[in-house]
Amino acid sequence: MEEHDDVGHGGAPCAEGAGKAMTIIVTILLFFLIGGLAGSVDVKTLRSQLKRRTGIACGLLCQFVLMPFIGFVVVSLTKPESHIGLTLMILCSSSGGAYSNWWCSLFNADLALSVAMTAVSTLLSAVMLPLNLTIYLNMMDRGDSVEIPWGPLLQSLGTVLCAIIAGVCMSTFRPNSARLMTALGNMSGICMIAITLVASMLKKKDGGAEEVTPLWGHELSFYGIVASPFIISLTASLLISSMRCLSLARPERTAIVVEVSYQNQGIASAVAISAFCGNARMRADAAAVPIVYGFF
């Protein structure tokens, strides 16, 4: 990855102003997004789906081994700026996309398997995300001064864990609130997309700040780099899940492909906005990564 003097520190401290406000708002939205997802899951149905070990094991292997490796290869070969490469690595290591279940229902995939994979992968991501980041960033070119933003990252993971606990409690003790939790999660997701869009274009009110590149103003290589993990993971997970020895039906294979290629953009957005809130240019570039990835 290309090196910059302020990479890994996010520029100036983010103690006040629009950057701090966005950090707080996106953390709250992340909580309601994940909490809404967890609260809409039928716990009894989830328990029954966990018995389908082949499909879930195949999906989790692709999510936590294949996808981060693909992100590592793409970043290593293309060498984007460090804050962009770091955000892409976080995105590729953040499994449990909030809208993967909707895509599965749209493509007539195995929705029950999708819900089970989303729940399990979201829980495991609290351990696997920092583990994968530590492994792969240490394997990067030693000339890079890439620092993992542990503060924002752990804050986001803590938010996700609290949201899962709250959501599971709601689905267990208030099963009739499933529709409300779904609506809450959907609305939070829409709001998070909106604030991430704002973060990708917002300029700092400091005349000395570097110029911010709008979402549509990046070089074509930027869009190609961000889209590559999606395309490669979609193809690879389809080939793996189609192996005859796994004996997976077409709806199951479709669910696995969707779950693997559709990452948790909420975590990547929250980390991008929090870690680089003191540097308008880096924040805009980092926030653009999950937005562009979501287009695919």
Side-chain angles (χ1 to χ4, degrees):
M1 290 185 282
E2 294 182 9
E3 188 175 352
H4 291 269
D5 293 338
D6 56 357
V7 169
H9 299 284
C14 185
E16 57 184 10
K20 183 63 175 181
M22 281 194 294
T23 299
I24 295 174
I25 293 172
V26 80
T27 300
I28 295 173
L29 291 175
L30 179 63
F31 176 85
F32 286 116
L33 171 63
I34 302 300
L37 171 66
S40 63
V41 174
D42 187 319
V43 177
K44 293 182 179 179
T45 302
L46 176 60
R47 288 176 180 172
S48 64
Q49 292 303 317
L50 291 178
K51 298 178 181 179
R52 304 167 65 177
R53 298 177 180 177
T54 302
I56 292 180
C58 177
L60 293 178
L61 180 67
C62 291
Q63 285 181 315
F64 293 112
V65 178
L66 176 65
M67 190 61 177
F69 177 72
I70 291 173
F72 166 72
V73 171
V74 170
V75 172
S76 297
L77 293 178
T78 59
K79 297 186 180 300
E81 291 186 69
S82 292
H83 58 288
I84 295 175
L86 176 61
T87 305
L88 187 58
M89 280 300 304
I90 292 174
L91 181 61
C92 290
S93 303
S94 303
S95 299
Y99 288 115
S100 57
N101 307 144
W102 182 79
W103 283 108
C104 282
S105 63
L106 184 65
F107 291 117
N108 198 30
D110 192 323
L111 185 58
L113 176 60
S114 172
V115 171
M117 281 187 59
T118 299
V120 175
S121 62
T122 301
L123 286 170
L124 290 179
S125 66
V127 175
M128 296 304 297
L129 195 161
L131 178 62
N132 276 319
L133 282 180
T134 301
I135 292 173
Y136 286 116
L137 290 180
N138 284 332
M139 292 172 61
M140 293 286 183
D141 186 353
R142 288 294 187 265
D144 292 344
S145 58
V146 182
E147 295 182 19
I148 303 175
W150 287 116
L153 181 59
L154 293 177
Q155 175 181 299
S156 297
L157 290 176
T159 301
V160 168
L161 285 176
C162 291
I164 292 174
I165 294 173
V168 170
C169 288
M170 284 294 292
S171 63
T172 301
F173 301 107
R174 295 287 184 88
N176 295 331
S177 65
R179 289 188 178 181
L180 175 62
M181 296 300 289
T182 299
L184 180 63
N186 289 338
M187 184 60 66
S188 299
I190 294 172
C191 291
M192 177 166 279
I193 292 173
I195 196 171
T196 306
L197 277 170
V198 172
S200 69
M201 296 180 287
L202 185 65
K203 298 182 179 180
K204 193 175 181 181
K205 295 181 179 180
D206 182 356
E210 295 184 67
E211 183 178 354
V212 171
T213 304
L215 185 64
W216 57 87
H218 294 275
E219 296 181 359
L220 289 177
S221 59
F222 172 84
Y223 305 105
I225 291 171
V226 176
S228 294
F230 173 83
I231 298 172
I232 297 172
S233 64
L234 188 150
T235 305
S237 59
L238 178 60
L239 292 174
I240 293 174
S241 61
S242 298
M243 296 173 63
R244 291 186 177 181
C245 60
L246 297 178
S247 301
L248 296 173
R250 179 176 294 181
E252 292 177 303
R253 298 198 301 269
T254 304
I256 290 173
V257 169
V258 171
E259 287 292 331
V260 172
S261 57
Y262 202 94
Q263 295 298 91
N264 194 324
Q265 296 156 256
I267 294 179
S269 296
V271 175
I273 293 174
S274 302
F276 305 112
C277 63
N279 186 303
R281 184 186 71 83
M282 293 171 65
R283 182 188 62 212
D285 291 345
V289 172
I291 291 293
V292 172
Y293 187 93
F295 288 153
F296 296 94

